[in-house]
Amino acid sequence: IQGDTPLSSLRLVPLTFRYIRDFCDNIRPEDIAECLITSGTNPLDLTNNEYIQAGAMCLINDHEEVLAICGVHNEQMWLLGTKKIEENKMAFLRYSKELILGDLLKVNKRMYNIAWKPNHLHIKWLKWLGCKVLYENEDFLLFLFEQKESD
């Protein structure tokens, strides 16, 4: 997948201690705030094992810089981004559509979660991916992705 910068391709790889450290050093402040508000958890306080138990994988570029970590646990999907997403915006958008609507939905019949609406980039991304909005109020959006039923 071609990127916006010389960082040309992205790939999903198993999470390692080095990637966790890179992620923690570069996480988007909006993603920290969203975690605190929706779950009461600061992602910077989680242990390596907690990330692994949550099904975490790592999205990296050619220079092995972390753009995001993501996972699906008990049908609950999540993604936490770093500042590198904005530097690789087009590559991230292309890859995330393939990842969410392709690979993850092949393995998971449905995936859902809540999103904090003041995290505008997150909400815009979810809607761009075509999530189904199950419930929405002034603060939160409950979203769902489902496998398409075959005829």
Side-chain angles (χ1 to χ4, degrees):
I1 294 175
Q2 296 302 308
D4 305 286
T5 66
L7 312 175
S8 61
S9 68
L10 305 180
R11 63 190 187 281
L12 198 60
V13 297
L15 197 58
T16 65
F17 296 124
R18 178 175 130 1
Y19 293 145
I20 291 171
R21 192 171 47 251
D22 184 10
F23 165 75
C24 289
D25 288 345
N26 294 290
I27 186 172
R28 294 177 62 244
E30 300 90 341
D31 286 13
I32 293 173
E34 184 168 354
C35 282
L36 286 167
I37 288 165
T38 58
S39 71
T41 302
N42 184 334
L44 298 176
D45 293 338
L46 295 176
T47 66
N48 296 332
N49 284 337
E50 288 172 308
Y51 279 115
I52 292 165
Q53 289 170 352
M57 295 290 287
C58 188
L59 182 62
I60 61 171
N61 62 25
D62 283 343
H63 296 281
E64 298 206 4
E65 297 169 314
V66 176
L67 275 71
I69 62 171
C70 62
V72 179
H73 182 69
N74 296 329
E75 294 186 345
Q76 201 167 16
M77 71 173 293
W78 58 274
L79 181 139
L80 298 171
T82 71
K83 299 163 193 154
K84 295 292 177 187
I85 282 179
E86 294 170 31
E87 294 173 21
N88 297 268
K89 189 183 307 183
M90 293 308 294
F92 173 75
L93 290 173
R94 282 190 297 268
Y95 188 84
S96 65
K97 193 164 234 179
E98 178 184 313
L99 172 69
I100 302 298
L101 302 180
D103 299 340
L104 292 179
L105 275 176
K106 286 178 187 168
V107 178
N108 302 277
K109 184 175 181 176
R110 68 182 56 87
M111 303 177 298
Y112 71 93
N113 208 332
I114 59 172
W116 182 51
K117 287 180 72 177
N119 190 347
H120 301 291
L121 188 61
H122 188 189
I123 299 298
K124 186 176 177 181
W125 174 70
L126 288 168
K127 289 183 175 182
W128 177 80
L129 284 172
C131 73
K132 182 177 185 180
V133 177
L134 300 177
Y135 175 79
E136 186 171 1
N137 65 25
E138 61 192 41
D139 296 318
F140 300 100
L141 176 133
L142 174 62
F143 65 90
L144 172 73
F145 290 98
E146 289 184 291
Q147 290 176 354
K148 296 202 186 313
E149 292 189 29
S150 31
D151 297 317

